[in-house]
Amino acid sequence: MEIPRTRQGAAGGQAPQGSLVALTERRLGWLDRRQAVLAQNVAHADTPGYRPRDVIGFRQHLAGQLGPALARTQPGHLGPSRPGQAGSQPDRAVAEATPDGNAVSLDREAMRIAETDTAHALAMAVHRSFTGMFRLT
């Protein structure tokens, strides 16, 4: 019988990698990164030439983590992205920009922040439900 691989959970416990709890923890981490990127967009709402960013979708995030880690084996290969923008990419849904080149729409960013907050609340509820089943009372 194979013992499932485990990883350190957010609360310090062990969660099997394929479990719903581990998936929920990964979703929470992705949502935290997205919230930080969206907050950075809002902070740069008045910066001339700033283009908003967003993280890759959660489905693509999961698919990317299933493969082997990439390594830079030749000097001509592309290196990792800048540390402050890891996992984020330019937002392709930008429709217009102001005359100074800034393309941040505070309305669009507010909607994305609200969506992320709702998804975070749902993921936390799922995480609490499943970890609550294993608590001793």
Side-chain angles (χ1 to χ4, degrees), residues 22-89:
L23 180 63
T24 305
E25 289 174 356
R26 290 171 74 179
R27 173 79 170 167
L28 287 168
W30 179 84
L31 289 166
D32 286 341
R33 279 191 304 282
R34 184 168 197 226
Q35 195 77 341
V37 170
L38 296 176
Q40 185 178 30
N41 289 345
V42 171
H44 287 284
D46 292 329
T47 304
Y50 185 79
R51 309 298 285 178
R53 302 184 68 80
D54 202 352
V55 295
I56 60 173
F58 186 63
R59 183 175 294 167
Q60 292 86 6
H61 172 71
L62 284 179
Q65 289 189 350
L66 296 178
L70 300 177
R72 186 173 183 186
T73 57
Q74 297 290 326
H77 290 175
L78 294 175
S81 62
R82 290 182 280 175
Q85 297 178 345
S88 70
Q89 61 189 6

